[in-house]
């Protein structure tokens, strides 16, 4: 019943909670780069102080189908190299990963 009421009122709770969680953990800095469907931000983990890059991929059926997004995420999880982006955490909302 609660989920139906949230949907009826057009309240995107999952998106708000996820965005809040990301911003609680990381302090965002400048944009490092962007493409047609993603942006990469400079960021710092608030607890550890570790500098990271955060890639935000827009979910867009025209650009990023489920299969290609799944492939990219799987590759990022298994590849560990100092010159290649490493995946440490994944957050997902209905609009982006």
């Amino acid at each position: 019943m609660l989920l139906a009421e949230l949907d009826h009122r057009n309240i995107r709770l999952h998106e708000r909670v996820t965005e809040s969680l990301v911003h609680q953990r990381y302090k965002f800095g400048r944009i490092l780069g962007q493409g047609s469907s993603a942006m990469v931000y400079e960021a710092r983990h608030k607890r550890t102080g570790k500098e990271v890059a955060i890639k935000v991929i827009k979910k867009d059926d025209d650009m990023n189908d489920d299969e290609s997004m799944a492939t990219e995420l799987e590759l990022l999880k298994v590849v560990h190299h100092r010159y290649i982006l490493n995946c440490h955490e994944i957050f997902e909302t209905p609009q982006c990963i």
Side-chain angles (χ1 to χ4, degrees):
M1 179 131 140
L2 176 60
L3 294 176
E5 183 64 22
L6 290 172
D7 190 49
H8 174 72
R9 294 183 185 192
N10 203 24
I11 297 172
R12 303 291 176 236
L13 185 62
H14 176 73
E15 181 178 354
R16 289 182 183 178
V17 169
T18 302
E19 186 175 332
S20 175
L21 180 61
V22 172
H23 286 281
Q24 284 175 8
R25 290 187 186 187
Y26 296 95
K27 177 170 178 49
F28 281 68
R30 65 187 174 95
I31 296 173
L32 297 174
Q34 66 185 76
S36 58
S37 63
M39 294 183 79
V40 179
Y41 296 89
E42 177 182 78
R44 182 179 302 273
H45 192 278
K46 290 181 178 179
R47 185 176 49 80
T48 67
K50 184 175 182 178
E51 292 181 346
V52 297
I54 296 179
K55 183 175 184 178
V56 179
I57 305 168
K58 294 178 194 170
K59 290 183 177 179
D60 180 354
D61 292 337
D62 295 332
M63 295 293 293
N64 297 316
D65 61 85
D66 291 342
E67 186 177 340
S68 64
M69 289 179 72
T71 301
E72 180 174 356
L73 293 172
E74 285 303 313
L75 285 171
L76 290 174
K77 285 195 269 185
V78 298
V79 173
H80 298 286
H81 190 278
R82 61 189 263 183
Y83 297 117
I84 300 174
L85 181 73
N86 293 292
C87 182
H88 297 281
E89 293 183 283
I90 297 174
F91 299 93
E92 183 176 7
T93 69
Q95 286 74 34
C96 63
I97 295 176

